[in-house]
Amino acid sequence: MTELETMGPKVFGIAGWKNSGKTGLAVRLVTELTRRGYRVSTVKHAHHDFDIDKVGADSFRHREAGAHEVTIVSGTRYAIMHELRGAPEPTFPEILARLAPCDLVLIEGYKREPIPKIEARRLDSKNREPLAPTDPHIVAIAADHPVEDSNLTVFDLDDTLAIADFIEQTTGLAKQPE
């Protein structure tokens, strides 16, 4: 068993180039898998600086003042923002370890991690070079066009039900009795 397989929830990824349909597929899969009764969490890897905080907000001011972590809590949600302040980006296992218990963690991005993943492909993608031939962890392809250069299972990018079934089978996902 790999380190990731011993860490708790099932993990499945969606990899692909910019504009390949990753986010749309992730949203549809979260909707379908939660409809099926699973608790699904997501992790999205950004290759650029991002901010979820508004300039001038109290929490923004706390971070700007130098806080290591800022937690915002309300009756409906909470968020913890952790400033790296020059420290290295946390490893993939470190991120997974911080998540609350769930049935499945759906990963968008992190295309180099050794987890089972589906490759999203669209004709409108910024880069159309296939990832699957060089990544042994890609177990299927979801595309908006015919794919004939692969021995992997190929799904229509919009066939959410079949892809959700495939994720259940591939990860061994099974609803826990309540």
Side-chain angles (χ1 to χ4, degrees):
M1 267 212 276
T2 70
E3 179 185 2
L4 292 176
E5 290 172 321
T6 61
M7 294 188 63
K10 309 289 185 186
V11 177
F12 194 88
I14 301 171
W17 299 107
K18 184 177 172 79
N19 297 323
S20 63
K22 295 184 305 291
T23 301
L25 179 57
V27 169
R28 292 190 309 273
L29 286 170
V30 169
T31 300
E32 176 57 25
L33 291 166
T34 56
R35 186 194 67 72
R36 294 181 185 192
Y38 298 111
R39 289 177 305 157
V40 181
S41 294
T42 63
V43 175
K44 160 86 171 128
H45 188 256
H47 289 285
H48 47 79
D49 191 21
F50 73 94
D51 205 333
I52 61 171
D53 211 0
K54 293 187 185 117
V55 174
D58 292 350
S59 55
F60 182 88
R61 294 174 62 198
H62 294 191
R63 285 192 305 130
E64 288 297 295
H68 177 65
E69 284 190 334
V70 176
T71 305
I72 308 167
V73 182
S74 76
T76 54
R77 71 185 55 89
Y78 73 90
I80 300 173
M81 288 174 284
H82 181 100
E83 289 295 314
L84 292 176
R85 306 224 184 268
E89 180 179 320
T91 65
F92 186 66
E94 287 170 339
I95 293 298
L96 290 179
R98 293 195 72 151
L99 297 177
C102 62
D103 299 312
L104 175 72
V105 181
L106 195 60
I107 309 297
E108 182 183 340
Y110 282 104
K111 65 168 98 53
R112 306 280 178 244
E113 291 299 326
I115 59 170
K117 56 188 98 94
I118 190 165
E119 179 182 351
R121 295 184 185 176
R122 284 180 57 220
L123 290 173
D124 292 342
S125 180
K126 187 174 179 96
N127 181 339
R128 302 233 326 255
E129 180 185 340
L131 297 172
T134 58
D135 184 345
H137 302 286
I138 292 177
V139 295
I141 297 167
D144 70 352
H145 58 279
V147 174
E148 295 166 7
D149 61 345
S150 178
N151 293 329
L152 297 175
T153 301
V154 177
F155 296 96
D156 182 291
L157 187 58
D158 293 323
D159 194 351
T160 308
L161 297 178
I163 297 170
D165 290 345
F166 181 81
I167 291 171
E168 282 181 317
Q169 293 162 3
T170 301
T171 63
L173 197 58
K175 285 188 285 249
Q176 302 303 314
E178 296 191 24

